[in-house]
Amino acid sequence: MPITPLEPAELVFVFGTPHHCESLADAAADLWRTGLARRIIATGGLTGRLMESEAGVMRRLLVERGVPDENILTEEKSTNTGENVEFAMPIIERAWGLENIGSVIAVTKLFAARRCLMTLERYWPSVKKMVRAVNYFRTPRERWNEDPELRVRVLREREKIPRYLEQGFLRELR
């Protein structure tokens, strides 16, 4: 579960999720409010029992938290982390130009932070990558192994990464 120092970036990249969207929206809106990034892309299509795309839900939550709608892009077709990045890049290109994005702050769940950074490295190696890992569990990050549910999620991620690297979905961080 990487921690990266945060500094101003051109873009906040919110990875889609059907769970705990409010916590991710709080984190992304806080990055915007504090001036760490002025542009946000929310990703994620229709998953689970959602009647609205993950990105659509996130956009609505971000606007409710004061982020101007014109500062938010959405990618609404992806169904996994790789697609979040792959499908978002042409949207970013059309709106702002990829050449204008030198650094990205990923917003994702605590236990998925490394995989999200590795996915960005695979599809978008040229940008500087930082992460705002959201911990919506009551257990502090450093005591993840003491929470049964968080422990299961962290260990699942550890199992996925070697397999995803082998399949070419991820690239090791530099």
Side-chain angles (χ1 to χ4, degrees), residues 69-83:
D69 190 65
E70 62 270 13
N71 292 58
I72 307 167
L73 295 177
T74 54
E75 175 288 304
E76 302 185 74
K77 297 192 183 319
S78 60
T79 60
N80 63 54
T81 307
E83 289 179 355

Side-chain angles (χ1 to χ4, degrees), residues 2 15 20-21 25 32 34 52 57 64 72 84 92 96 103 105-106 113 117 120-121 123-125 130 158 170 172:
F15 281 87
H20 300 280
C21 296
W32 179 84
T34 59
E52 182 181 7
V57 170
E64 287 172 8
I72 307 167
N84 289 156
I92 297 164
W96 299 319
S103 55
I105 301 172
L117 288 174
L120 281 167
E121 183 66 25
Y123 290 96
W124 205 357
M130 297 166 275
R158 279 193 67 184
L170 307 176
E172 197 58 68

Side-chain angles (χ1 to χ4, degrees), residues 4 7-9 11 20-21 25 53-54 64 71 75 81 87 90 93 96 102-103 108-109 113 142 149 157 165:
T4 61
E7 57 187 57
L11 180 67
H20 300 280
C21 296
S53 70
E54 294 170 353
E64 287 172 8
N71 292 58
E75 175 288 304
T81 307
F87 296 174
E93 172 62 33
W96 299 319
S103 55
T108 188
K109 300 170 278 197
E142 60 278 357
E149 185 181 351
E157 286 294 322
L165 273 167

Side-chain angles (χ1 to χ4, degrees), residues 8-12 28 31-40 105:
E10 286 79 33
L11 180 67
V12 171
L31 293 169
W32 179 84
R33 207 173 4 266
T34 59
L36 283 172
R38 304 315 296 165
R39 298 179 272 200
I40 298 173
I105 301 172

